[in-house]
């Protein structure tokens, strides 16, 4: 049983756009799953089903094996388990200070003042934003806003965090910091599901990848299985990670038979193996 599962999901927007056409998706507890696909594929629409913000006209969303019922009791239960970080942090942050923003969710759960304070402190510490607690969110940088939005979700102590393009609009270091933060949260046992266009970061952090196109899942598997399918990668307007592209060119253009790899670490090991005895790479 997955912690979050979607069975044969169909969704149509009121204007008639068929955004999801029979989606099957599963995240196991403790996984870090990446959802890739071109703009308009339906990634955000699918994510909005994960905690019941949108209701499908056909199919089921199951949280810890239980189908979402779309009544207030079921939705409250689901939202305690699954937290969503929206793509645009300004859609998520609205309180006058960082601290008040992070406290908003836990206060709505009806927790005691002491418990709320404890959760806010812990969440801000986890994302490295404790020194900003009295700042207005709109004075923060993009990466800092993203951290505060993540803290707001963390303070709800969810088991699953879903993030719609968490690195979009961030500089390379900011993007890498957010991915490391998510990696650390994942190591603590939180299931992480992200959508992204950042193919270089996916094989480093995700253990499972789904590729979406025109409201359907067109491929799923470990990163190396998915990236190995060049036809699918092209269909989804994606590209290989840069290091994998280099190996592909060496294989194809230069007849250098280095084994394919998708991260710097993997490619480095494969290069060392190839060059063993010929040169020293320390
Ligand atoms: P992605 O997140 O992969 O870019 P979306 O889920 O945002 O894709 O969009 C999927 C499809 O649904 C697109 O064709 C998009 O134009 C359409 N869509 C998204 N939001 C709405 C909406 N509020 N009303 C009508 N159509 C929408």
């Amino acid at each position: 049983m997955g912690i979050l599962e979607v069975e044969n999901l169909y969704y149509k927007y009121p204007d008639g756009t068929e955004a999801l056409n029979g989606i099957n998706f599963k995240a196991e507890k403790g996984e870090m799953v990446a959802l890739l696909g071109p703009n308009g594929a339906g990634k955000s629409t699918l994510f909005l089903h994960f905690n019941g913000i949108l209701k499908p006209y056909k199919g089921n969303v199951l949280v810890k094996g239980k189908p979402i019922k779309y009544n207030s009791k079921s939705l409250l239960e689901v939202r305690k388990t699954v937290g969503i970080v929206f793509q645009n942090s300004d859609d998520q942050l609205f309180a006058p200070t960082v601290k008040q923003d992070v406290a908003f969710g836990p206060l709505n759960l009806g927790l005691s003042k002491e418990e709320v304070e404890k959760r806010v402190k812990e969440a801000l510490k986890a994302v490295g934003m404790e020194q900003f607690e009295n700042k207005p969110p709109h004075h923060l940088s993009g990466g800092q806003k993203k951290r505060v939005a993540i803290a707001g979700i963390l303070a709800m102590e969810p088991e699953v965090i879903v993030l719609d393009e968490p690195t979009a609009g961030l500089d390379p270091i900011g993007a890498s910091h957010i991915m490391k933060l998510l990696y650390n949260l994942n190591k603590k046992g939180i299931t992480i599901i992200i959508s992204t266009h950042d193919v270089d970061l996916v094989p480093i952090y995700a253990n499972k990848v789904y590729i979406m196109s025109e409201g359907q899942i067109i491929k799923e598997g470990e990163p190396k299985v998915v990236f190995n399918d060049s036809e699918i990668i092209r269909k989804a307007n994606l590209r290989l990670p840069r290091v994998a592209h280099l190996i592909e060119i060496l294989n194809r253009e230069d007849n250098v038979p280095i084994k394919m790899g998708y991260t710097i670490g993997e490619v480095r090991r494969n290069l060392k193996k190839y060059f063993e005895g010929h040169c020293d790479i320390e």
Side-chain angles (χ1 to χ4, degrees), residues 2 33 50 74 88 105-106 120 127 129 156 158 223 237 249 262-263:
V33 182
F50 284 166
S74 168
N88 184 355
V120 171
V127 303
M129 287 295 288
M156 304 283 281
N237 284 359
I249 291 170
Y262 297 95
T263 64

Side-chain angles (χ1 to χ4, degrees), residues 75-215:
L75 289 176
L76 182 67
E77 209 47 50
V78 165
R79 286 170 195 168
K80 275 191 207 166
T81 309
V82 182
I84 296 196
V85 177
F86 298 121
Q87 187 180 140
N88 184 355
S89 304
D90 292 325
D91 291 343
Q92 198 134 12
L93 307 173
F94 52 87
T97 68
V98 163
K99 194 158 81 175
Q100 282 166 295
D101 219 301
V102 178
F104 181 79
L107 278 173
N108 273 333
L109 291 180
L111 302 169
S112 69
K113 202 166 153 259
E114 293 73 37
E115 176 66 17
V116 172
E117 270 185 24
K118 181 174 147 266
R119 286 194 183 195
V120 171
K121 265 211 159 52
E122 281 173 5
L124 285 174
K125 187 157 177 263
V127 303
M129 287 295 288
E130 30 332 16
Q131 71 276 38
F132 294 88
E133 62 175 25
N134 294 316
K135 270 220 170 199
H138 61 274
H139 285 175
L140 301 175
S141 74
Q144 291 168 336
K145 280 184 190 171
K146 187 59 72 184
R147 283 168 185 277
V148 173
I150 294 172
I153 297 299
L154 270 181
M156 304 283 281
E157 300 190 347
E159 294 175 59
V160 182
I161 303 185
V162 179
L163 303 100
D164 197 352
E165 295 196 31
T167 59
L170 304 184
D171 60 34
I173 296 290
S176 168
H177 282 165
I178 291 292
M179 290 307 290
K180 278 187 191 143
L181 165 63
L182 298 179
Y183 178 82
N184 288 332
L185 294 175
N186 182 243
K187 285 285 148 279
K188 286 183 190 153
I190 301 177
T191 307
I192 304 278
I193 304 172
I194 63 166
S195 69
T196 183
H197 292 289
D198 206 331
V199 286
D200 291 302
L201 295 177
V202 166
I204 304 174
Y205 294 107
N207 67 290
K208 191 157 82 193
V209 178
Y210 282 86
I211 308 257
M212 208 171 164
S213 171
E214 296 176 4

Side-chain angles (χ1 to χ4, degrees), residues 11-20 35-48 54 87 164-165 195 197 212 214-215:
Y11 182 79
K12 198 195 291 191
Y13 280 103
D15 71 353
T17 308
E18 310 246 12
L20 302 181
L35 179 63
L36 304 178
N39 290 330
K43 302 180 298 295
S44 305
T45 307
L46 177 62
F47 279 6
L48 293 173
L54 292 181
Q87 187 180 140
D164 197 352
E165 295 196 31
S195 69
H197 292 289
M212 208 171 164
E214 296 176 4

